[in-house]
């Protein structure tokens, strides 16, 4: 849950929503220009900063101590709170089973109608399986999918629900069911983000079924090494001999790669080839970028602020305990401290609470996270993503769920932004230019590249500009 605060004069303001602080009229409705650079790079603003000048976010594992004469943050928890490296896989798997089961059980305590999101992926399926097999409880499950979509996960969700005897609710939509609701989804955005509408529609449909609390598999990928970044960073780090070549040659190779295989992946590879070191500090911030620095500079038309994600990683590196963690755990902490915290959790909170739906996340139980962070890479990821999790609950999930390709809840944004949303998108982009926040030439180049189908400019590279413009207009931000 976010907590926003501001200090003005003798007042200390705090609220769980940014809009509450704005409504106080005690702070200026003014955009933070340095935070804008962070937003352009990563489609979000990283705590403790916010998009509004003078408003900050309380960091996780921290509380504020306020008196009549002073106010200061006090840190009480880090993911590496207890380092005790277990080496025995059998013991590790038992600890994971017990801690995750306890986490799910704690989050089932509710005096309101409750259920679980079920995509049919490993994380949500694991929650449903634990509820039934280890806690012997029944559960309502919810899957929202698009009718006749090639990306539909409905069939996997059906298999899992049948296996565990869940009361399954399959909610099939057409893209047209969502498009008219987009203005309401954008108005529900308390802090601007490039993501979020998908969670808004899932939460709305779940709430319409009479559910007030839903369990989510959010956090499973970050804690149990489910993303490609967990293999790509170690792979590149092991090839630091590349850095022995002159920078000019590396830049040339990167440039040739972008010509041979156009796309964001090649552009990021070129940036990595120009790095001074192949370590977490230099690799991770590039992997998570939405727009590269050269694009941000063309949009701003001037020098841009320091990379906030790089500052976060550098701050972590100052802790001896962090440096003691296994490689995959250090990547996990980077994910927890940036992408998960400032994009996924914030978007989930604001979009679900817009429908008075509480979402609980068993994978982010602090005792579970503490333990998983000290598990060796050899046990955590011997062959495939999230193997520590699936091996800890052997035979709970069928192989067709464990081994299936990763999918997602996909909306046809590419078609919408070139079609029915085109005029809305262009209005938002022009609003950013007229407010002197972005340069017309840079914005025009980015927008035209998207319209022409440039593989390096997908809808997700442009949409954050549009949502920011809509949010600024809705909240009267200068």
């Amino acid at each position: 849950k976010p907590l926003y605060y501001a200090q003005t004069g003798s007042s200390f303001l705090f609220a769980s929503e940014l809009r509450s602080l704005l409504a106080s009229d005690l702070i200026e409705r003014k955009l933070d220009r340095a935070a804008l650079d962070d937003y352009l790079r990563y489609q979000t603003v990283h705590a403790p900063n916010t998009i509004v000048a003078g408003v900050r976010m309380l960091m996780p594992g921290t509380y504020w101590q306020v008196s009549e004469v002073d106010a200061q943050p006090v840190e009480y928890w880090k993911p590496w709170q207890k380092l005790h490296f277990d080496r025995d896989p059998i013991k590790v798997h038992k600890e994971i089973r017990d801690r995750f089961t306890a986490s799910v059980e704690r989050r089932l305590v509710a005096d309101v109608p409750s259920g679980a999101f079920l995509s049919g992926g490993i994380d949500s399926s694991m929650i449903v399986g634990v509820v039934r097999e280890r806690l012997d409880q029944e559960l309502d499950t919810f899957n929202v999918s698009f009718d006749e979509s090639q990306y539909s996960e409905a069939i996997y969700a059906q298999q899992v629900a049948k296996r565990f005897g869940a009361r399954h609710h399959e909610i099939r939509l057409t893209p047209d069911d969502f498009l008219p609701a987009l203005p309401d989804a954008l108005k529900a955005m308390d802090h601007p983000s490039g993501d979020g509408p998908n969670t808004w529609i899932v939460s709305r449909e779940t709430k319409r079924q009479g559910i007030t609390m839903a369990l989510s598999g959010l956090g499973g990928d970050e804690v149990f090494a489910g993303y490609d970044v967990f293999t790509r960073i170690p792979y590149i780090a092991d090839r630091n001999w590349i850095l022995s070549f002159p920078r000019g040659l590396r830049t040339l190779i990167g440039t040739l790669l972008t010509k041979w295989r156009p796309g964001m992946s090649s552009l990021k590879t070129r940036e990595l080839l120009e790095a001074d070191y192949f370590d977490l500090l230099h690799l991770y911030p590039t992997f998570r970028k939405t727009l590269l620095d050269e694009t941000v500079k063309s949009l701003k038309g001037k020098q841009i602020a320091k990379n906030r994600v790089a500052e976060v990683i550098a701050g972590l590196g100052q802790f001896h305990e962090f440096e003691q963690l296994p490689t995959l755990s250090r990547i996990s902490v980077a994910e927890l401290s940036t992408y998960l915290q400032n994009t996924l959790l914030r978007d989930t909170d604001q979009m679900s609470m817009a429908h008075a739906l509480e979402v609980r996340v068993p994978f982010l139980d602090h005792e579970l996270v503490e333990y998983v962070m000290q598990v060796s890479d050899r046990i955590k990821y011997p062959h495939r993503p999230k193997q520590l999790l699936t091996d800890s609950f052997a035979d709970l999930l069928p192989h067709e769920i464990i081994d299936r390709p990763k999918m997602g809840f996909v909306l046809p944004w590419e078609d919408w932004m070139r079609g029915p949303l085109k005029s809305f998108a262009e209005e938002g982009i022009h609003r950013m230019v007229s407010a002197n926040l972005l340069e017309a030439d840079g914005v025009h180049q980015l927008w035209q590249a998207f319209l022409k189908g440039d593989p390096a400019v997908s809808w997700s590279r442009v949409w954050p500009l549009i949502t920011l413009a809509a949010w600024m207009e809705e909240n009267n931000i200068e």
Side-chain angles (χ1 to χ4, degrees):
K1 289 287 185 181
L3 184 68
Y4 300 97
Y5 67 91
Q7 292 175 269
T8 172
S10 60
S11 299
F12 183 85
L13 314 176
F14 62 95
S16 61
E17 288 195 341
L18 187 57
R19 289 173 293 195
S20 296
L21 296 186
L22 295 175
S24 72
D25 291 329
L26 293 174
I27 57 174
E28 290 186 273
R29 294 174 177 260
K30 191 173 182 180
L31 197 79
D32 186 317
R33 295 265 178 167
L36 174 61
D37 295 350
D38 192 19
Y39 182 85
L40 294 175
R41 280 189 179 108
Y42 294 104
Q43 72 174 353
T44 191
V45 178
H46 292 85
N49 303 321
T50 73
I51 199 69
V52 177
V55 178
R56 309 271 281 176
M57 280 189 70
L58 187 64
M59 298 295 285
T62 307
Y63 63 84
W64 264 95
Q65 190 167 20
V66 183
S67 69
E68 293 181 357
V69 296
D70 191 22
Q72 59 184 350
V74 180
E75 188 176 71
Y76 65 88
W77 185 83
K78 284 288 188 186
W80 52 80
Q81 194 79 356
K82 300 172 183 176
L83 292 181
H84 50 280
F85 297 97
D86 287 339
R87 308 292 182 184
D88 181 3
I90 295 176
K91 181 179 180 182
V92 169
H93 291 153
K94 182 181 185 303
E95 288 283 353
I96 297 297
R97 279 197 306 275
D98 292 346
R99 289 169 188 261
F100 184 66
T101 301
S103 173
V104 173
E105 185 173 26
R106 279 194 285 269
R107 283 154 185 82
L108 283 173
V109 177
D111 55 4
V112 295
S114 58
F117 295 143
L118 178 58
S119 69
I122 289 175
D123 302 329
S124 61
S125 300
M126 191 68 72
I127 291 172
V128 175
V130 167
V131 170
R132 184 59 177 171
E133 296 295 317
R134 291 184 67 86
L135 299 176
D136 195 27
Q137 296 187 37
E138 294 184 347
L139 192 65
D140 285 272
T141 55
F142 298 85
N143 176 263
V144 180
S145 64
F146 284 126
D147 197 19
E148 299 178 357
S149 170
Q150 60 177 317
Y151 302 107
S152 176
E153 298 180 288
I155 186 171
Y156 299 109
Q158 293 168 7
Q159 291 175 9
V160 173
K162 183 177 180 181
R163 180 183 180 95
F164 297 116
R167 296 183 293 267
H168 191 55
H169 307 261
E170 187 173 310
I171 305 164
R172 287 185 171 268
L173 304 173
T174 67
D176 291 338
D177 291 325
F178 179 68
L179 196 55
L182 183 58
D184 290 335
L186 291 176
K187 287 181 181 179
M189 193 170 289
D190 179 56
H191 191 289
S193 167
D195 203 358
N198 290 9
T199 305
W200 189 91
I201 193 72
V202 170
S203 298
R204 186 190 72 176
E205 297 304 318
T206 303
K207 183 67 176 183
R208 284 178 174 178
Q209 299 294 320
I211 296 298
T212 303
M213 185 279 287
L215 300 178
S216 167
L218 193 65
D221 284 315
E222 290 79 9
V223 175
F224 286 94
Y227 293 132
D228 288 343
V229 70
F230 286 94
T231 52
R232 292 167 70 187
I233 286 181
Y235 177 85
I236 295 174
D238 287 342
R239 285 155 180 77
N240 58 9
W241 51 265
I242 294 174
L243 298 174
S244 63
F245 292 101
R247 183 190 296 270
L249 178 59
R250 287 184 273 137
T251 300
L252 176 61
I253 293 172
T255 302
L256 292 174
L257 178 63
T258 62
K259 302 292 186 184
W260 174 59
R261 193 174 60 192
M264 181 56 72
S265 178
S266 293
L267 289 172
K268 288 184 176 181
T269 299
R270 185 183 68 184
E271 182 170 296
L272 293 174
L273 286 172
E274 297 174 352
D276 294 324
Y277 302 97
F278 283 172
D279 56 9
L280 188 66
L281 176 60
H282 290 81
L283 297 178
Y284 182 81
T286 295
F287 276 117
R288 274 295 173 206
K289 283 180 180 176
T290 300
L291 294 177
L292 300 184
D293 284 8
E294 60 185 281
T295 304
V296 175
K297 288 177 182 177
S298 72
L299 293 174
K300 294 292 296 294
K302 54 188 174 184
Q303 199 63 28
I304 56 179
K306 292 181 179 179
N307 189 304
R308 177 60 190 145
V309 170
E311 291 179 339
V312 172
I313 304 303
L316 292 171
Q318 296 176 7
F319 292 93
H320 175 67
E321 296 88 347
F322 174 76
E323 294 298 330
Q324 283 187 297
L325 294 176
T327 297
L328 296 181
S329 293
R330 281 187 278 119
I331 299 173
S332 279
V333 173
E335 290 278 270
L336 295 171
S337 304
T338 56
Y339 178 60
L340 179 73
Q341 174 196 153
N342 298 285
T343 299
L344 298 181
L345 286 177
R346 185 191 294 168
D347 286 347
T348 297
D349 180 69
Q350 60 188 0
M351 290 306 189
S352 61
M353 293 308 293
H355 302 287
L357 176 72
E358 179 190 358
V359 175
R360 298 180 182 177
V361 282
F363 282 103
L364 297 179
D365 180 88
H366 74 281
E367 293 182 358
L368 176 66
V369 171
E370 284 174 8
Y371 188 81
V372 176
M373 289 307 99
Q374 57 85 45
V375 175
S376 72
D377 294 348
R378 178 179 56 83
I379 299 176
K380 184 177 291 182
Y381 198 144
H383 303 294
R384 62 178 185 271
K386 291 188 280 198
Q387 189 168 342
L388 171 61
L389 179 62
T390 55
D391 283 355
S392 297
F393 290 91
D395 301 326
L396 183 65
L397 300 182
H399 286 292
E400 55 265 30
I401 298 299
I402 294 175
D403 298 329
R404 78 176 181 84
K406 222 173 157 52
M407 299 170 69
F409 185 69
V410 180
L411 290 163
W413 290 105
E414 299 277 349
D415 295 335
W416 284 352
M417 288 174 61
R418 294 189 181 101
L421 282 178
K422 184 179 179 181
S423 60
F424 173 76
E426 291 179 337
E427 287 174 9
I429 288 173
H430 292 322
R431 196 177 300 127
M432 297 292 287
V433 173
S434 62
N436 295 319
L437 289 174
L438 302 179
E439 292 289 323
D441 289 345
V443 171
H444 178 75
Q445 290 176 9
L446 186 69
W447 179 241
Q448 289 302 312
F450 166 73
L451 293 178
K452 293 176 182 177
D454 186 331
V457 187
S458 63
W459 71 271
S460 62
R461 317 293 170 187
V462 184
W463 182 248
L465 306 183
I466 299 157
T467 56
L468 177 58
W471 180 84
M472 289 180 65
E473 183 176 44
E474 176 71 20
N475 292 280
N476 298 316
I477 303 297
E478 296 179 11

